[in-house]
Amino acid sequence: MVLASAPLFSLMASDPFGRSLWDFQIDRDQSYFVDHRESKICSIDSLMVLPGDTLEMFPLASLPLVLLGYLPASPRSGLVSSDEGLSFIDDQGRKWTATLKEQQVSSWTLWMGDEPLLWWTRQAKGGILSHRRGSQFRWKEVVAEALDSPYSGVELPSTYQRVICSESDLPELRENQLQP
């Protein structure tokens, strides 16, 4: 995963032999899913959501926030802060709570009525995102490297076919496919 700036990030997936499977690039202007197996470049809307129960609550543009351990929503109203954490209502009218440890979010919960719908917990160099239906998404940072030069984005091969993607064209991310 590369987070070049808040509006630009990319995810890359490779098989165990290091061959590229796919790339995501999410940018404020144009976002892409590059399928190396099918030689296709899909233009995508960064408001599109990822398939699968656990990540369906988030537009692609908020994915780096989830992976890096930040709250993926901003308060619209009702922000209540204490030494233990905070709670608020987002711009979609959803209730969120978060616990803090050393000025950093250590866990957060998205509520559906009086029951948790989705909750995230920080783990060593990663996190666990759980959905009340039982699905879970885990990840762990394996390698972190500084960029040698400014990040210019995912390379879009000129020989690949360009298509418009729908949510069903995107891969369902599984924990064994994603290692930021």
Side-chain angles (χ1 to χ4, degrees):
M1 176 175 75
V2 175
L3 179 63
S5 62
L8 172 63
F9 79 99
S10 62
L11 289 170
M12 302 96 172
S14 301
D15 70 13
F17 298 105
R19 296 176 292 208
S20 293
L21 297 174
W22 51 261
D23 297 320
F24 269 122
Q25 176 170 298
I26 307 302
D27 195 349
R28 82 170 73 92
D29 299 322
Q30 185 63 55
S31 298
Y32 300 99
F33 170 69
V34 181
D35 186 337
H36 296 290
R37 293 173 294 180
E38 299 290 327
S39 300
K40 289 183 181 178
I41 299 170
C42 297
S43 296
I44 55 177
D45 180 344
S46 59
L47 296 177
M48 185 183 294
V49 297
L50 289 169
D53 288 344
T54 310
L55 295 173
E56 71 185 358
M57 305 298 297
F58 305 107
L60 287 172
S62 69
L63 186 58
L65 297 173
V66 174
L67 294 175
L68 295 171
Y70 299 106
L71 276 162
S74 298
R76 178 189 72 194
S77 64
L79 178 63
V80 177
S81 181
S82 69
D83 291 340
E84 294 81 35
L86 54 96
S87 65
F88 64 90
I89 305 298
D90 70 9
D91 59 356
Q92 296 178 33
R94 304 176 300 186
K95 178 184 172 187
W96 293 80
T97 56
T99 57
L100 305 174
K101 185 176 182 181
E102 299 174 2
Q103 302 297 317
Q104 188 176 29
V105 175
S106 59
S107 67
W108 54 255
T109 303
L110 171 61
W111 296 84
M112 182 180 197
D114 292 336
E115 296 183 1
L117 175 64
L118 198 63
W119 54 96
W120 173 85
T121 305
R122 183 175 306 280
Q123 300 291 304
K125 293 190 173 190
I128 300 174
L129 182 65
S130 303
H131 195 285
R132 73 183 282 183
R133 287 185 276 208
S135 61
Q136 199 170 68
F137 185 75
R138 297 170 175 255
W139 63 97
K140 182 176 183 180
E141 180 181 310
V142 176
V143 176
E145 301 176 21
L147 296 175
D148 293 334
S149 59
Y151 182 68
S152 59
V154 171
E155 182 180 332
L156 303 174
S158 60
T159 58
Y160 283 19
Q161 178 186 8
R162 289 183 176 256
V163 298
I164 303 293
C165 279
S166 68
E167 291 169 7
S168 62
D169 295 317
L170 300 178
E172 186 168 333
L173 296 178
R174 294 176 191 87
E175 73 179 76
N176 63 347
Q177 292 180 314
L178 182 62
Q179 295 183 344

